[in-house]
Each structure stands twice: as structure tokens, then as C-alpha cells.
Amino acid sequence: MAHPFMKMLDAALRQSDRDHNEVLLVAQKLRKKGYPHGEIYGLLSALEKSLIDPAETAVVAEAREEFGEEEY
């Protein structure tokens, strides 16, 4: 069974482009709602590894990198 947030991240990926990273915005919103940083970061990592399209992978990688830096 897929994680409930994965659907949100997939939808955000479809709305993202080079200039607007909706995936990062969704991850930040989840963090502000109190969900664990590690859980969200893990989902971003899993999503990045599951993608084939290099453009989509780049969007998620950027979101993961920026999101990861926020915690520290």
C-alpha cells in the first residue's frame, strides 16, 4: 500500500516545472503541519528513485536537497 502523501507528491510533480517546484512546497506544507521531517524526506527520496524521466527526477532531487537542508 502506498503512503498517503505519495499521491500528494505525485500530483505536485505534475504541476511542477523548471521555474516552479510544487513538490518542495507540498513537502514544506506537510512539515509545517507537524509531520516528521525524516518521513517526508524518505518519501522524497523514494519518489526520486522511482522516476524514469530525467526532468521529473531533477525536480524531485531539487526538492529533496532543499528540504533536507531545512532541518539542519
Side-chain angles (χ1 to χ4, degrees):
M1 178 183 236
H3 194 285
F5 296 154
M6 199 57 89
K7 287 183 180 181
M8 294 171 65
L9 294 171
D10 282 333
L13 180 57
R14 288 190 295 273
Q15 297 173 0
S16 297
D17 58 33
R18 292 180 77 177
D19 300 323
H20 177 75
N21 194 328
E22 187 69 22
V23 176
L24 178 59
L25 295 177
V26 168
Q28 291 170 335
K29 286 177 186 176
L30 290 170
R31 180 69 182 118
K32 286 179 184 175
K33 287 183 177 182
Y35 294 101
H37 183 273
E39 179 181 2
I40 300 165
Y41 186 85
L43 290 171
L44 292 171
S45 296
L47 180 58
E48 180 183 0
K49 290 176 185 176
S50 72
L51 296 171
I52 297 171
D53 184 333
E56 290 181 344
T57 303
V59 168
V60 176
E62 178 187 350
R64 181 190 47 78
E65 289 168 6
E66 288 188 37
F67 185 78
E69 293 172 2
E70 290 180 5
E71 181 71 14
Y72 307 104

